[in-house]
Amino acid sequence: MTAQPFKTIVLDLLQQGHRDKEAFLQELSETERTAIGTPELWSAKDHVAHRTFWHRDFVRKLTAIQQHQEIPESEEDEDQLNSRNFEEHRLRPFSEIHTESERVHTELITLIEQLSEEDLTAPGRFPSISGERPLYTAFLGGCYEHDQEHLAQYYSDHHDLSRAIEIREKCVSRIIEAEVPEWVKGSFLYNLACFYAQQNQLEKAAALLQEALTLAPRLKERAKSDPELVALRDLLESENL
């Protein structure tokens, strides 16, 4: 049986994520779509503007690399970039933010389609984007998973935890079903364990963490000091984490 190309996997997941976003927006009332958020409680359009910002960043960096241009280092850290982007877009109309989101999504998909399978799978080929890892991992984590986390965050912030859980679980199940390395599946399970730990669902979190560390043993050291897993420390001491 021939393995599915990573380009197909990445494109399928990003297109599914796009459909999830559109379904999410369709379910919102007009009041919810146009609501103006605060730094403590983002509105729906704040989340859309945020994901658009990071998708555009991928496009910008990849395009620069392909054109053999220098990628200027930002003097701002991630939190500062997120805060500035929030303030720049929080008062913009929903229609503008949505239109821009669609345009950038199209640019991102077009760019991925132009990449070769080797571009996506060769470790360390794009260090400014994915470090020593293959480029496809940046798309799976920085675009697909990150977007799903923000959909879940919106529901969690609006007291619909069951919907947030459904989104996070579905996100991971798609990765588990995909033809990706075990350590990639472990990374997604690890993040899901962190999510459950933050919800104080410790038994579920512990089971997921054990599964994650079986698939991705390199995460054991990270788990020992991960602030999102503090609630699990005593529970898992007997497991020699």
Side-chain angles (χ1 to χ4, degrees), residues 16 21 53:
Q16 182 60 63
K21 181 205 73 174
F53 173 82

Side-chain angles (χ1 to χ4, degrees), residues 218-232:
R218 64 180 179 77
L219 292 173
K220 288 181 180 180
E221 283 304 309
R222 175 179 166 187
K224 292 177 182 178
S225 57
D226 194 327
E228 293 188 346
L229 296 175
V230 168
L232 286 182

Side-chain angles (χ1 to χ4, degrees), residues 160-191:
D160 190 349
L161 182 58
S162 63
R163 193 65 186 278
I165 288 172
E166 179 187 352
I167 290 169
R168 294 297 298 260
E169 288 276 359
K170 190 176 291 185
C171 169
V172 173
S173 90
R174 289 171 182 155
I175 292 294
I176 296 300
E177 293 167 5
E179 294 180 44
V180 297
E182 299 290 85
W183 66 266
V184 174
K185 298 179 182 183
S187 294
F188 274 72
L189 286 166
Y190 180 95
N191 292 337

